[in-house]
Amino acid sequence: MTYIVALTGGIGSGKTTLSNEFKKIGIDIIDTDIIAKKIIKFDLQILFSIQEKFGKKILNIDNSINRMLLRKYIFNNKNDRLWLENLLYPKIYKETKYQIKNAESNWCLWVVPLLIEKKLEKQAHRILLVDTSVKEQIRRIIKRDKISFLEAKKIIALQTTRKKRISISDDIIVNRKDMKKIHLYIHYFNLFYSYLSNKYHKKKTTDTKKNYLTKFY
Ligand code: ATP
């Protein structure tokens, strides 16, 4: 099995921004958000279940799911959120396992926003956190998703805390404004994870976890 690095972080912290950069240098990306979006779009069983639960108003004109509306519903109702997570989770898990099994790069990046919430920490060899201030998260998601300040705050309040994320991570990239630095981090972490992956595969060490803690500002 390939060496798995889980990339986690709060909404708008920069997971996609970072994973796109890793992708450019040839790292296989297994993104649970992308997998979930594909399942919602193409899995008819899921599509019908969502339609049955929320009614026809959840559909776009082309009968696809209106994801912005769905997001609004689930962030406003805990039971609906859990219902959707339980519906999607087995399929996401199956597809994630398949993609990881078929990963070909020296190590792979598993982008998993709900790593802590779903207690998946032990499923990765290493945990990389992309961290940014709550203020910056709010600023970014208001701009990207065209939502209000209150909506942004509400979504963030539903997620696990920054402190908790930091406490379980092996490595941290603090994603402030400067995008130039990101490229440096990407190359550094690729070298670092390739090294850990080689060690893991040669089984020179039984535990490549928690040996180092890397924090980049
Ligand atoms: P989500 O949890 O919603 O999937 P995410 O963690 O994947 O979000 P991104 O989509 O990568 O976060 O970033 C959120 C927004 O912030 C995007 O519009 C992105 O372009 C912007 N962004 C990310 N990092 C930076 C940065 N260093 N400087 C400026 N803008 C940034």
Side-chain angles (χ1 to χ4, degrees), residues 9-18 33 71 113 136 139-141 144-145 175-179 182:
I11 185 165
S13 54
K15 296 178 293 297
T16 309
T17 306
L18 244 71
D33 262 359
R71 201 170 88 155
E136 184 65 17
R139 198 188 63 77
R140 287 183 192 157
I141 61 173
R144 186 193 61 187
D145 301 336
N175 181 22
R176 291 212 184 100
K177 284 170 193 158
D178 189 359
M179 279 299 291
I182 300 284

Side-chain angles (χ1 to χ4, degrees), residues 136-182:
E136 184 65 17
Q137 277 180 280
I138 291 176
R139 198 188 63 77
R140 287 183 192 157
I141 61 173
I142 287 177
K143 190 173 167 204
R144 186 193 61 187
D145 301 336
K146 315 268 176 289
I147 55 174
S148 69
F149 176 78
L150 280 180
E151 278 176 299
K153 274 193 83 169
K154 201 175 190 177
I155 294 171
I156 289 168
L158 287 170
Q159 298 190 327
T160 197
T161 61
R162 228 181 133 186
K163 200 173 163 190
K164 175 76 187 162
R165 280 197 202 97
I166 291 169
S167 74
I168 59 101
S169 297
D170 300 299
D171 309 308
I172 304 170
I173 291 180
V174 180
N175 181 22
R176 291 212 184 100
K177 284 170 193 158
D178 189 359
M179 279 299 291
K180 277 184 216 149
K181 276 192 183 167
I182 300 284

